[in-house]
Amino acid sequence: METENTPVNDTELETVQGHTEQEEKAFINSLDEDFDPTTATTDTKQADIELEAAAGMIFVGLMTIEQMMKGMVHTRFNFDPEQSEKVAYKVAPLIVKYGGNPPPWMAKYMDEIMAVAAIGMLSLSSYMQVRQLKAEDFEAARREQAKRAAEAANDDYNQEVA
């Protein structure tokens, strides 16, 4: 049978564990003084509230993008609600972490990013406007052709009757 080497006195205890019993008691007492369960609970609740608020902001942003897409691309366009929620909760910690500001490595390029975004939005809206104008022109041409066809059919009928 194997026997363990157990310390016999405080000196041996300090050597084995690296600290004395008095230091251990002082450490435990300091923990009791510092730890406040209500503060820990409040901090957790506050963090949850911040995450929910950030997720809500992102979700509103996604709904805005969805509405823009409906107007520009197709009236029946929709984001998958389940996927939108997942995206909102995946991005929310970043909003909380950076306080709604871009990360430091990105901040120095914000002017460039905003310029590209503005040019992209202008390009997209211009493309959509041209597409709408072409659709209106096509519809006007179709109506004109239908009107001529109806007039021609009416003229043929009038000539037959006469």
Side-chain angles (χ1 to χ4, degrees), residues 1-16:
M1 177 157 57
E2 245 180 74
T3 59
E4 289 185 27
N5 291 338
T6 55
V8 179
N9 58 37
D10 285 344
T11 309
E12 286 186 38
L13 179 63
E14 183 176 347
T15 307
V16 173

Side-chain angles (χ1 to χ4, degrees), residues 87-138:
V87 167
Y89 281 99
K90 291 288 185 187
V91 175
L94 292 174
I95 300 296
V96 171
K97 180 178 181 180
Y98 294 109
N101 296 318
W105 57 267
M106 185 188 274
K108 61 183 175 182
Y109 299 109
M110 281 312 293
D111 292 338
E112 291 82 355
I113 292 168
M114 295 309 289
V116 168
I119 292 168
M121 289 302 294
L122 180 63
S123 299
L124 182 59
S125 65
S126 298
Y127 169 76
M128 296 311 299
Q129 183 180 8
V130 168
R131 206 170 115 185
Q132 179 67 31
L133 292 170
K134 284 184 177 183
E136 289 171 5
D137 290 348
F138 177 78

Side-chain angles (χ1 to χ4, degrees), residues 17-38:
Q17 295 179 344
H19 59 271
T20 66
E21 189 175 329
Q22 289 173 339
E23 290 173 332
E24 185 176 316
K25 285 180 182 178
F27 175 73
I28 290 172
N29 288 337
S30 73
L31 288 178
D32 291 340
E33 292 169 10
D34 293 342
F35 182 71
D36 182 6
T38 57

Side-chain angles (χ1 to χ4, degrees), residues 145-161:
Q145 185 179 14
K147 182 180 174 185
R148 281 193 227 137
E151 287 174 357
N154 193 22
D155 287 346
D156 290 343
Y157 176 75
N158 287 339
Q159 285 178 357
E160 288 178 12
V161 172

Side-chain angles (χ1 to χ4, degrees), residues 59 79-89:
F59 199 69
F79 284 139
D80 177 359
E82 205 173 285
Q83 191 175 18
S84 294
E85 186 176 342
K86 285 179 183 178
V87 167
Y89 281 99

